[in-house]
Coordinates of all heavy atoms in Angstrom, one line a residue:
M1 N 95.2 83.5 16.1 CA 95.1 83.8 17.5 C 94.0 84.7 17.8 O 93.8 85.7 17.1 CB 96.4 84.4 18.0 CG 96.4 84.9 19.5 SD 98.0 85.5 20.1 CE 98.6 84.0 20.8
K2 N 93.2 84.5 18.9 CA 92.2 85.3 19.3 C 92.7 86.6 19.9 O 93.7 86.5 20.7 CB 91.1 84.6 20.2 CG 90.5 83.4 19.5 CD 89.4 82.8 20.5 CE 88.7 81.7 19.7 NZ 87.7 81.1 20.6
V3 N 92.0 87.7 19.7 CA 92.5 88.9 20.3 C 92.4 88.9 21.8 O 93.3 89.4 22.5 CB 91.7 90.1 19.8 CG1 90.3 90.2 20.4 CG2 92.4 91.4 19.8
E4 N 91.5 88.1 22.4 CA 91.4 88.0 23.8 C 92.6 87.3 24.4 O 93.1 87.7 25.5 CB 90.1 87.2 24.2 CG 88.8 88.0 23.9 CD 88.4 87.7 22.5 OE1 89.0 87.0 21.7 OE2 87.4 88.4 22.1
I5 N 93.1 86.3 23.8 CA 94.3 85.5 24.2 C 95.5 86.5 24.1 O 96.4 86.5 25.0 CB 94.5 84.2 23.4 CG1 93.4 83.3 23.7 CG2 95.9 83.7 23.7 CD1 93.4 82.0 22.9
A6 N 95.7 87.2 23.0 CA 96.8 88.1 22.8 C 96.7 89.2 24.0 O 97.8 89.5 24.5 CB 96.7 88.7 21.5
A7 N 95.6 89.7 24.2 CA 95.4 90.8 25.3 C 95.9 90.2 26.6 O 96.5 90.9 27.4 CB 94.0 91.3 25.3
L8 N 95.4 89.0 27.0 CA 95.9 88.4 28.2 C 97.4 88.2 28.3 O 98.0 88.4 29.4 CB 95.1 87.0 28.4 CG 93.6 87.1 28.8 CD1 93.0 85.7 28.8 CD2 93.4 87.8 30.1
Q9 N 97.9 87.7 27.2 CA 99.4 87.5 27.2 C 100.1 88.8 27.3 O 101.1 88.9 28.1 CB 99.8 86.7 25.9 CG 99.4 85.3 26.0 CD 99.8 84.5 24.7 OE1 100.0 85.0 23.6 NE2 99.9 83.2 24.9
L10 N 99.8 89.8 26.7 CA 100.4 91.1 26.7 C 100.2 91.7 28.1 O 101.1 92.3 28.6 CB 99.8 92.0 25.6 CG 100.2 91.7 24.2 CD1 99.4 92.5 23.2 CD2 101.8 91.9 24.0
A11 N 99.0 91.5 28.6 CA 98.8 92.0 30.1 C 99.7 91.4 31.0 O 100.2 92.0 31.9 CB 97.3 91.9 30.4
S12 N 99.9 90.0 30.8 CA 100.8 89.3 31.8 C 102.2 89.7 31.6 O 103.1 89.7 32.6 CB 100.7 87.8 31.5 OG 101.4 87.3 30.4
L13 N 102.6 90.3 30.5 CA 104.0 90.9 30.3 C 104.1 92.3 30.8 O 105.1 93.0 30.6 CB 104.4 90.8 28.9 CG 104.6 89.3 28.4 CD1 104.8 89.3 26.9 CD2 105.8 88.7 29.1
G14 N 102.9 92.9 31.2 CA 102.8 94.4 31.5 C 103.5 94.8 32.8 O 103.5 96.0 33.0
K15 N 104.0 93.9 33.6 CA 104.8 94.3 34.8 C 106.3 94.2 34.4 O 106.8 93.2 33.9 CB 104.5 93.4 35.9 CG 103.0 93.4 36.3 CD 102.8 94.5 37.3 CE 101.4 94.4 37.8 NZ 100.9 95.6 38.4
P16 N 107.1 95.2 34.8 CA 108.5 95.1 34.5 C 109.2 93.9 34.9 O 110.1 93.3 34.2 CB 109.1 96.4 35.1 CG 108.0 97.3 35.1 CD 106.8 96.4 35.4
I17 N 108.9 93.4 36.1 CA 109.6 92.2 36.6 C 109.3 91.0 35.8 O 110.1 90.1 35.5 CB 109.3 92.0 38.1 CG1 110.3 90.9 38.7 CG2 107.9 91.6 38.4 CD1 111.7 91.4 38.8
R18 N 108.0 90.9 35.3 CA 107.6 89.7 34.5 C 108.2 89.8 33.2 O 108.6 88.8 32.6 CB 106.1 89.6 34.4 CG 105.4 89.0 35.6 CD 103.9 88.7 35.3 NE 103.3 89.1 36.5 CZ 102.1 89.7 36.7 NH1 101.5 90.1 35.6 NH2 101.6 90.0 37.8
L19 N 108.3 91.0 32.6 CA 109.0 91.1 31.3 C 110.5 90.7 31.4 O 111.0 90.1 30.5 CB 108.9 92.6 30.8 CG 109.3 92.8 29.4 CD1 108.6 91.9 28.4 CD2 109.0 94.3 29.0
K20 N 111.1 91.1 32.5 CA 112.5 90.7 32.7 C 112.6 89.2 32.9 O 113.5 88.6 32.3 CB 113.0 91.4 34.0 CG 113.3 92.8 33.9 CD 113.9 93.4 35.2 CE 114.0 94.9 35.1 NZ 114.4 95.5 36.4
L21 N 111.7 88.6 33.6 CA 111.7 87.2 33.8 C 111.5 86.5 32.4 O 112.3 85.5 32.1 CB 110.5 86.8 34.7 CG 110.3 85.4 35.3 CD1 109.5 85.4 36.5 CD2 109.8 84.4 34.3
Y22 N 110.6 86.9 31.7 CA 110.2 86.3 30.4 C 111.5 86.4 29.5 O 111.8 85.5 28.8 CB 109.1 87.0 29.8 CG 108.6 86.3 28.5 CD1 108.0 84.9 28.5 CD2 108.7 86.8 27.2 CE1 107.7 84.3 27.4 CE2 108.3 86.2 26.2 CZ 107.7 85.0 26.2 OH 107.4 84.3 25.0
R23 N 112.0 87.6 29.4 CA 113.2 87.9 28.5 C 114.4 86.9 28.9 O 115.1 86.4 28.1 CB 113.6 89.3 28.5 CG 112.5 90.1 27.8 CD 112.9 91.6 27.6 NE 114.0 91.6 26.6 CZ 114.8 92.6 26.4 NH1 114.7 93.7 27.1 NH2 115.7 92.5 25.5
A24 N 114.6 86.8 30.3 CA 115.6 85.9 30.8 C 115.4 84.4 30.2 O 116.4 83.8 29.9 CB 115.7 85.8 32.3
L25 N 114.2 84.0 30.2 CA 113.8 82.7 29.8 C 114.0 82.5 28.2 O 114.5 81.6 27.7 CB 112.5 82.3 30.2 CG 112.3 82.0 31.7 CD1 110.8 81.8 32.0 CD2 113.2 80.9 32.2
V26 N 113.7 83.5 27.6 CA 113.8 83.6 26.1 C 115.4 83.5 25.8 O 115.7 82.7 24.9 CB 113.2 84.8 25.4 CG1 113.6 84.9 24.0 CG2 111.6 84.7 25.6
R27 N 116.1 84.3 26.5 CA 117.6 84.3 26.3 C 118.2 82.9 26.6 O 119.2 82.5 26.0 CB 118.3 85.4 27.1 CG 118.1 86.8 26.5 CD 119.0 87.7 27.2 NE 118.9 87.8 28.7 CZ 118.0 88.5 29.3 NH1 117.2 89.3 28.7 NH2 118.0 88.5 30.6
A28 N 117.6 82.2 27.6 CA 118.2 81.0 28.1 C 118.0 79.9 27.0 O 118.7 78.8 27.1 CB 117.5 80.6 29.4
G29 N 117.2 80.0 26.1 CA 116.9 79.0 25.1 C 116.1 77.9 25.6 O 115.5 77.9 26.6
H30 N 116.1 76.8 24.8 CA 115.3 75.6 25.1 C 115.6 74.9 26.4 O 114.8 74.2 26.9 CB 115.3 74.7 23.9 CG 114.6 75.2 22.7 ND1 113.2 75.4 22.6 CD2 115.1 75.8 21.6 CE1 112.9 75.9 21.4 NE2 114.0 76.2 20.8
E31 N 116.8 75.1 26.9 CA 117.2 74.5 28.2 C 116.5 75.0 29.4 O 116.4 74.4 30.4 CB 118.7 74.5 28.3 CG 119.5 73.7 27.4 CD 121.0 73.8 27.6 OE1 121.4 74.2 28.7 OE2 121.7 73.5 26.6
G32 N 116.1 76.3 29.2 CA 115.4 77.0 30.3 C 116.3 77.3 31.5 O 117.5 77.2 31.4
L33 N 115.7 77.7 32.6 CA 116.5 78.1 33.8 C 115.8 77.6 35.0 O 114.6 77.6 35.1 CB 116.6 79.6 33.9 CG 117.5 80.3 32.9 CD1 117.3 81.8 33.1 CD2 118.9 80.0 33.1
P34 N 116.5 77.1 36.0 CA 116.0 76.7 37.3 C 115.5 77.9 38.0 O 116.0 79.0 37.8 CB 117.2 76.1 38.1 CG 118.3 75.9 37.1 CD 118.0 76.8 35.9
C35 N 114.4 77.7 38.8 CA 113.8 78.8 39.6 C 114.8 79.5 40.4 O 114.8 80.8 40.6 CB 112.7 78.3 40.4 SG 111.2 77.8 39.4
G36 N 115.7 78.8 41.1 CA 116.8 79.4 41.9 C 117.6 80.4 41.1 O 118.0 81.4 41.6
T37 N 118.0 80.0 39.8 CA 118.8 80.9 39.0 C 118.0 82.1 38.7 O 118.6 83.2 38.7 CB 119.3 80.1 37.7 OG1 120.0 79.0 38.1 CG2 120.1 81.0 36.9
L38 N 116.7 82.0 38.3 CA 115.9 83.1 38.0 C 115.8 84.0 39.2 O 115.9 85.3 39.1 CB 114.5 82.7 37.6 CG 114.3 82.2 36.2 CD1 113.0 81.5 36.0 CD2 114.5 83.3 35.2
Q39 N 115.6 83.4 40.4 CA 115.5 84.2 41.6 C 116.8 85.1 41.8 O 116.7 86.3 42.1 CB 115.3 83.4 42.8 CG 115.0 84.1 44.1 CD 114.9 83.1 45.2 OE1 114.8 81.9 45.1 NE2 114.8 83.7 46.5
D40 N 118.0 84.5 41.6 CA 119.2 85.2 41.7 C 119.3 86.3 40.7 O 119.8 87.4 41.0 CB 120.4 84.2 41.6 CG 120.5 83.3 42.8 OD1 119.9 83.6 43.9 OD2 121.2 82.3 42.7
K41 N 119.0 86.0 39.5 CA 119.1 86.9 38.3 C 118.2 88.2 38.6 O 118.6 89.3 38.3 CB 118.7 86.3 37.0 CG 119.7 85.5 36.3 CD 119.2 85.0 35.0 CE 120.3 84.3 34.2 NZ 121.1 85.2 33.5
L42 N 117.0 87.9 39.1 CA 116.0 89.0 39.3 C 116.2 89.7 40.6 O 115.6 90.7 40.9 CB 114.7 88.5 39.1 CG 114.4 87.9 37.6 CD1 113.0 87.3 37.6 CD2 114.5 89.0 36.6
G43 N 116.8 89.0 41.6 CA 117.0 89.6 42.9 C 115.6 89.7 43.7 O 115.4 90.8 44.3
I44 N 114.8 88.7 43.6 CA 113.5 88.8 44.3 C 113.3 87.6 45.2 O 113.9 86.5 45.0 CB 112.3 88.9 43.2 CG1 112.3 87.7 42.3 CG2 112.4 90.2 42.4 CD1 111.1 87.7 41.3
A45 N 112.3 87.7 46.0 CA 112.0 86.5 47.0 C 111.3 85.4 46.2 O 110.7 85.6 45.2 CB 111.1 87.0 48.0
A46 N 111.5 84.2 46.7 CA 111.0 83.0 46.1 C 109.5 83.1 45.9 O 108.9 82.8 44.9 CB 111.3 81.7 46.8
S47 N 108.8 83.6 46.9 CA 107.3 83.8 46.8 C 106.9 84.7 45.7 O 105.9 84.5 45.0 CB 106.7 84.2 48.2 OG 107.3 85.4 48.6
T48 N 107.7 85.8 45.6 CA 107.3 86.8 44.6 C 107.6 86.2 43.1 O 106.8 86.4 42.2 CB 108.3 88.0 44.7 OG1 108.0 88.6 46.1 CG2 108.0 89.1 43.6
L49 N 108.7 85.5 43.0 CA 109.0 84.8 41.7 C 107.9 83.8 41.4 O 107.4 83.8 40.3 CB 110.4 84.1 41.8 CG 110.7 83.3 40.6 CD1 110.9 84.1 39.4 CD2 112.0 82.5 40.8
S50 N 107.5 83.0 42.4 CA 106.4 82.1 42.2 C 105.1 82.7 41.7 O 104.5 82.2 40.7 CB 106.1 81.3 43.5 OG 105.1 80.4 43.3
H51 N 104.8 83.9 42.2 CA 103.6 84.6 41.8 C 103.7 85.0 40.4 O 102.7 84.8 39.5 CB 103.4 85.8 42.7 CG 102.4 86.8 42.1 ND1 101.1 86.7 42.2 CD2 102.7 88.0 41.5 CE1 100.5 87.7 41.6 NE2 101.4 88.5 41.2
H52 N 104.9 85.5 40.0 CA 105.0 86.0 38.6 C 105.1 84.9 37.6 O 104.6 84.9 36.5 CB 106.3 86.9 38.5 CG 106.1 88.2 39.2 ND1 105.1 89.1 38.9 CD2 106.8 88.8 40.3 CE1 105.2 90.1 39.7 NE2 106.2 90.0 40.5
I53 N 105.7 83.8 38.0 CA 105.7 82.6 37.1 C 104.3 82.1 36.9 O 104.0 81.7 35.8 CB 106.6 81.5 37.8 CG1 108.1 81.8 37.6 CG2 106.4 80.1 37.2 CD1 109.0 80.9 38.4
K54 N 103.6 82.0 37.9 CA 102.1 81.5 37.8 C 101.4 82.4 36.8 O 100.7 81.9 35.9 CB 101.5 81.7 39.2 CG 100.0 81.2 39.1 CD 99.3 81.4 40.5 CE 97.9 81.0 40.4 NZ 97.0 81.7 41.3
Q55 N 101.6 83.7 36.9 CA 100.9 84.6 35.9 C 101.3 84.3 34.5 O 100.4 84.3 33.6 CB 101.2 86.1 36.2 CG 100.7 86.5 37.6 CD 99.2 86.5 37.7 OE1 98.5 86.9 36.8 NE2 98.7 86.0 38.8
L56 N 102.5 84.1 34.2 CA 103.0 83.8 32.9 C 102.6 82.5 32.4 O 102.3 82.2 31.2 CB 104.5 84.0 32.8 CG 105.0 85.4 33.0 CD1 106.5 85.5 33.1 CD2 104.6 86.3 31.8
M57 N 102.6 81.5 33.4 CA 102.1 80.1 33.0 C 100.6 80.1 32.6 O 100.2 79.4 31.7 CB 102.3 79.1 34.1 CG 103.8 78.8 34.3 SD 104.2 77.7 35.6 CE 103.2 76.3 35.2
E58 N 99.8 80.9 33.4 CA 98.4 80.9 33.1 C 98.0 81.4 31.7 O 97.0 81.0 31.2 CB 97.7 81.8 34.1 CG 97.5 81.1 35.5 CD 96.9 82.0 36.5 OE1 96.6 83.2 36.3 OE2 96.7 81.4 37.7
T59 N 98.9 82.2 31.1 CA 98.6 82.7 29.8 C 99.4 81.9 28.7 O 99.3 82.3 27.5 CB 99.0 84.2 29.7 OG1 100.4 84.4 29.9 CG2 98.2 85.1 30.6
G60 N 100.1 80.9 29.1 CA 100.8 80.0 28.2 C 102.1 80.5 27.6 O 102.6 79.9 26.7
L61 N 102.7 81.5 28.2 CA 103.9 82.1 27.7 C 105.1 81.2 28.2 O 106.1 81.3 27.6 CB 104.1 83.6 28.1 CG 103.1 84.5 27.3 CD1 103.2 85.9 27.9 CD2 103.5 84.5 25.8
I62 N 105.0 80.7 29.4 CA 106.1 79.8 29.9 C 105.5 78.5 30.5 O 104.2 78.4 30.7 CB 106.9 80.5 31.0 CG1 106.1 80.7 32.3 CG2 107.4 81.8 30.5 CD1 107.0 81.2 33.5
Y63 N 106.3 77.5 30.7 CA 105.9 76.2 31.3 C 107.1 75.8 32.2 O 108.2 76.3 32.1 CB 105.5 75.2 30.3 CG 106.6 74.7 29.4 CD1 107.4 73.6 29.8 CD2 107.0 75.5 28.3 CE1 108.4 73.1 29.0 CE2 108.0 75.0 27.4 CZ 108.7 73.8 27.8 OH 109.7 73.4 27.0
Q64 N 106.8 74.9 33.1 CA 107.8 74.4 34.0 C 107.9 72.9 33.9 O 106.9 72.2 33.5 CB 107.4 74.7 35.5 CG 107.6 76.1 35.9 CD 107.3 76.3 37.3 OE1 106.3 75.7 37.8 NE2 108.1 77.1 38.1
E65 N 109.0 72.4 34.2 CA 109.2 70.9 34.3 C 110.1 70.6 35.5 O 110.9 71.4 35.9 CB 109.8 70.3 33.0 CG 111.3 70.7 32.8 CD 111.9 69.9 31.6 OE1 111.5 68.8 31.4 OE2 112.9 70.4 31.1
R66 N 109.8 69.5 36.1 CA 110.6 69.1 37.2 C 111.7 68.2 36.8 O 111.5 67.2 36.1 CB 109.7 68.4 38.3 CG 110.4 68.0 39.6 CD 109.5 67.6 40.7 NE 108.6 68.7 41.2 CZ 109.0 69.7 42.0 NH1 110.3 69.8 42.4 NH2 108.1 70.6 42.4
Q67 N 112.9 68.5 37.3 CA 114.0 67.6 37.1 C 114.6 67.3 38.5 O 115.3 68.1 39.1 CB 115.1 68.3 36.3 CG 114.7 68.5 34.8 CD 115.8 69.1 33.9 OE1 116.9 69.5 34.4 NE2 115.5 69.4 32.7
G68 N 114.2 66.1 39.0 CA 114.6 65.8 40.3 C 113.9 66.7 41.3 O 112.7 66.8 41.3
T69 N 114.6 67.5 42.1 CA 114.0 68.3 43.0 C 114.0 69.8 42.5 O 113.6 70.7 43.2 CB 114.8 68.4 44.4 OG1 116.2 68.7 44.1 CG2 114.8 67.0 45.0
T70 N 114.4 70.0 41.3 CA 114.6 71.3 40.7 C 113.4 71.6 39.7 O 113.2 70.8 38.9 CB 115.9 71.5 40.0 OG1 116.9 71.2 40.9 CG2 116.1 72.9 39.4
L71 N 112.8 72.8 39.8 CA 111.9 73.2 38.8 C 112.6 74.0 37.8 O 113.2 75.1 38.1 CB 110.7 74.1 39.5 CG 109.6 73.3 40.1 CD1 108.7 74.3 40.8 CD2 108.9 72.5 39.1
I72 N 112.4 73.7 36.5 CA 113.0 74.4 35.4 C 112.0 75.1 34.7 O 110.9 74.5 34.3 CB 113.7 73.4 34.4 CG1 114.7 72.5 35.1 CG2 114.5 74.2 33.3 CD1 115.9 73.2 35.8
C73 N 112.1 76.4 34.4 CA 111.2 77.2 33.6 C 111.6 77.4 32.2 O 112.9 77.5 32.0 CB 111.1 78.6 34.3 SG 110.4 78.6 36.0
H74 N 110.8 77.4 31.4 CA 111.0 77.5 29.9 C 110.1 78.5 29.3 O 108.9 78.5 29.6 CB 110.8 76.1 29.2 CG 111.6 75.0 29.7 ND1 112.8 74.7 29.3 CD2 111.3 74.0 30.7 CE1 113.3 73.6 29.9 NE2 112.4 73.2 30.8
A75 N 110.6 79.2 28.3 CA 109.7 80.0 27.4 C 109.0 79.0 26.5 O 109.6 78.1 26.0 CB 110.6 81.0 26.6
N76 N 107.7 79.3 26.3 CA 107.0 78.5 25.4 C 107.1 79.2 24.0 O 106.3 80.1 23.7 CB 105.5 78.5 25.8 CG 104.6 77.7 25.0 OD1 105.0 77.3 23.8 ND2 103.5 77.3 25.5
Y77 N 108.1 78.8 23.2 CA 108.4 79.4 21.9 C 107.2 79.4 21.0 O 107.0 80.4 20.3 CB 109.7 78.9 21.4 CG 110.9 79.3 22.2 CD1 111.5 78.4 23.1 CD2 111.4 80.6 22.1 CE1 112.6 78.8 23.8 CE2 112.5 81.0 22.9 CZ 113.1 80.1 23.7 OH 114.2 80.4 24.5
P78 N 106.5 78.3 20.8 CA 105.4 78.4 19.9 C 104.3 79.5 20.3 O 103.8 80.1 19.4 CB 104.8 77.0 19.9 CG 105.9 76.1 20.4 CD 106.7 76.9 21.3
S79 N 104.2 79.6 21.6 CA 103.2 80.6 22.1 C 103.7 82.0 21.8 O 103.0 82.9 21.3 CB 102.9 80.4 23.5 OG 102.0 81.4 24.0
M80 N 105.0 82.2 22.0 CA 105.7 83.5 21.7 C 105.5 83.8 20.2 O 105.2 85.0 19.8 CB 107.1 83.5 22.1 CG 107.9 84.7 21.8 SD 109.6 84.7 22.2 CE 110.2 83.6 20.8
D81 N 105.8 82.8 19.4 CA 105.7 83.0 17.9 C 104.3 83.4 17.5 O 104.2 84.3 16.6 CB 106.2 81.8 17.2 CG 107.7 81.5 17.4 OD1 108.5 82.4 17.7 OD2 108.0 80.3 17.1
K82 N 103.3 82.8 18.1 CA 102.0 83.1 17.8 C 101.6 84.6 18.2 O 101.0 85.3 17.4 CB 100.9 82.2 18.4 CG 100.9 80.9 17.8 CD 100.0 79.9 18.5 CE 100.1 78.5 18.0 NZ 99.2 77.6 18.8
L83 N 102.1 85.0 19.3 CA 101.8 86.3 19.8 C 102.5 87.4 18.9 O 101.9 88.4 18.5 CB 102.3 86.5 21.3 CG 102.1 87.9 21.9 CD1 100.5 88.3 21.8 CD2 102.6 87.9 23.3
V84 N 103.8 87.2 18.6 CA 104.5 88.1 17.8 C 103.9 88.1 16.4 O 103.7 89.2 15.8 CB 106.0 87.8 17.7 CG1 106.8 88.6 16.7 CG2 106.6 87.9 19.1
G85 N 103.5 87.0 15.9 CA 102.8 86.9 14.6 C 101.6 87.7 14.6 O 101.3 88.4 13.6
F86 N 100.8 87.6 15.7 CA 99.5 88.3 15.8 C 99.8 89.8 15.7 O 99.0 90.5 15.1 CB 98.8 87.9 17.1 CG 97.6 88.7 17.4 CD1 96.4 88.4 16.8 CD2 97.7 89.8 18.2 CE1 95.3 89.1 17.0 CE2 96.5 90.5 18.4 CZ 95.3 90.2 17.8
L87 N 100.8 90.3 16.3 CA 101.1 91.6 16.4 C 101.6 92.2 15.0 O 101.3 93.3 14.7 CB 102.2 91.9 17.4 CG 101.8 91.7 18.9 CD1 103.0 91.9 19.8 CD2 100.6 92.6 19.3
V88 N 102.2 91.4 14.1 CA 102.7 91.9 12.9 C 102.0 91.4 11.6 O 102.2 91.9 10.5 CB 104.2 91.6 12.8 CG1 104.9 92.3 13.9 CG2 104.5 90.2 12.7
D89 N 101.1 90.4 11.8 CA 100.5 89.8 10.6 C 99.8 90.8 9.7 O 99.8 90.6 8.5 CB 99.4 88.7 11.1 CG 100.1 87.4 11.3 OD1 101.2 87.3 11.0 OD2 99.3 86.6 11.9
E90 N 99.2 91.8 10.3 CA 98.4 92.8 9.4 C 99.2 94.1 9.2 O 98.5 95.1 8.9 CB 97.0 93.0 10.0 CG 96.2 91.7 10.0 CD 94.8 91.9 10.6 OE1 94.4 93.0 10.8 OE2 94.2 90.9 10.8
C91 N 100.4 94.1 9.3 CA 101.3 95.2 9.2 C 101.0 95.9 7.9 O 101.1 95.3 6.8 CB 102.8 94.9 9.4 SG 103.9 96.3 9.1
C92 N 100.7 97.1 7.9 CA 100.4 98.0 6.7 C 99.3 97.5 5.8 O 99.2 97.9 4.6 CB 101.7 98.2 6.0 SG 103.1 98.9 6.9
Q93 N 98.4 96.7 6.3 CA 97.4 96.2 5.5 C 96.5 97.3 4.9 O 95.9 97.1 3.8 CB 96.4 95.1 6.2 CG 97.2 93.9 6.5 CD 97.5 93.1 5.3 OE1 96.7 92.9 4.4 NE2 98.8 92.7 5.1
D94 N 96.3 98.3 5.7 CA 95.4 99.4 5.2 C 96.2 100.6 4.6 O 95.6 101.5 4.2 CB 94.6 100.0 6.4 CG 93.6 98.9 6.9 OD1 93.2 98.0 6.1 OD2 93.2 99.0 8.1
A95 N 97.5 100.4 4.4 CA 98.3 101.5 3.8 C 98.5 101.2 2.3 O 98.4 100.1 1.9 CB 99.7 101.5 4.6
A96 N 98.8 102.2 1.6 CA 98.9 102.1 0.2 C 100.4 101.7 -0.2 O 100.7 101.6 -1.4 CB 98.6 103.5 -0.5
C97 N 101.2 101.4 0.8 CA 102.6 101.2 0.5 C 102.8 99.7 0.2 O 104.0 99.3 0.0 CB 103.4 101.5 1.8 SG 103.0 100.7 3.2
G98 N 101.9 98.8 0.1 CA 102.1 97.5 -0.2 C 102.2 96.6 1.0 O 102.2 97.1 2.2
T99 N 102.5 95.3 0.8 CA 102.7 94.4 1.9 C 104.2 94.5 2.5 O 105.0 94.9 1.8 CB 102.4 93.0 1.5 OG1 103.3 92.6 0.6 CG2 101.0 92.8 1.0
A100 N 104.3 94.0 3.6 CA 105.6 93.9 4.2 C 106.5 93.0 3.3 O 107.7 93.3 3.1 CB 105.6 93.3 5.6
K101 N 106.0 92.0 2.7 CA 106.7 91.1 1.8 C 107.2 91.9 0.6 O 108.3 91.8 0.2 CB 105.9 90.0 1.4 CG 106.6 88.9 0.6 CD 105.7 87.7 0.2 CE 106.5 86.7 -0.7 NZ 105.6 85.7 -1.0
D102 N 106.4 92.8 0.1 CA 106.7 93.5 -1.1 C 107.8 94.5 -0.8 O 108.8 94.7 -1.6 CB 105.5 94.4 -1.6 CG 104.5 93.5 -2.2 OD1 104.8 92.4 -2.6 OD2 103.3 94.0 -2.3
R103 N 107.8 95.1 0.4 CA 108.8 96.1 0.8 C 110.2 95.4 1.0 O 111.2 96.0 0.8 CB 108.4 96.9 2.1 CG 107.3 97.9 1.8 CD 107.0 98.7 3.0 NE 106.7 97.9 4.2 CZ 105.5 97.4 4.5 NH1 104.6 97.5 3.7 NH2 105.4 96.7 5.6
A104 N 110.2 94.2 1.5 CA 111.4 93.4 1.7 C 112.1 93.0 0.4 O 113.3 92.8 0.4 CB 111.1 92.2 2.6
A105 N 111.4 92.9 -0.6 CA 111.9 92.4 -1.9 C 112.8 93.4 -2.6 O 113.0 94.5 -2.3 CB 110.8 92.0 -2.8

């Protein structure tokens, strides 16, 4: 993962409401949540929710699909895995304590 992409994704999570939105979608699993349910959970106006969804979609952390008249939001798990991996891939690389794999053994 490029550092620029990671920075954009982390910045998009930098607002408390977006972090709450994202965590709600991660907790929801692969089924995702309808926008109306997210709006109720977060207690925000539809226009505000739409703005925050757009920000997270632009960085690839979430995606939407239409089911009839309902928009369902989903966490993009492969994108999340890449971001988390990027954050921990080089853990302790410059330390004399060995690799994370060595410490786990």
Side-chain angles (χ1 to χ4, degrees):
M1 169 176 270
K2 293 183 179 183
V3 79
E4 294 83 7
I5 293 170
L8 288 172
Q9 289 180 333
L10 291 169
S12 74
L13 293 170
K15 299 278 187 194
I17 194 69
R18 278 190 221 139
L19 190 53
K20 287 178 186 178
L21 188 161
Y22 187 68
R23 292 187 70 195
L25 291 175
V26 169
R27 282 192 307 271
H30 292 284
E31 293 179 19
L33 290 172
C35 288
T37 301
L38 281 169
Q39 184 181 355
D40 291 343
K41 279 182 172 281
L42 299 173
I44 59 176
S47 60
T48 303
L49 177 64
S50 178
H51 167 75
H52 292 301
I53 287 172
K54 180 182 177 213
Q55 297 296 315
L56 292 169
M57 285 178 61
E58 285 178 353
T59 61
L61 288 171
I62 70 171
Y63 65 95
Q64 289 181 318
E65 69 171 333
R66 184 168 295 282
Q67 292 180 0
T69 59
T70 304
L71 277 174
I72 308 293
C73 295
H74 302 271
N76 183 342
Y77 290 101
S79 184
M80 178 185 73
D81 291 341
K82 286 179 187 175
L83 179 60
V84 171
F86 174 81
L87 293 173
V88 299
D89 277 349
E90 296 181 11
C91 179
C92 300
Q93 291 296 310
D94 295 336
C97 59
T99 65
K101 185 178 178 183
D102 292 340
R103 287 189 304 281

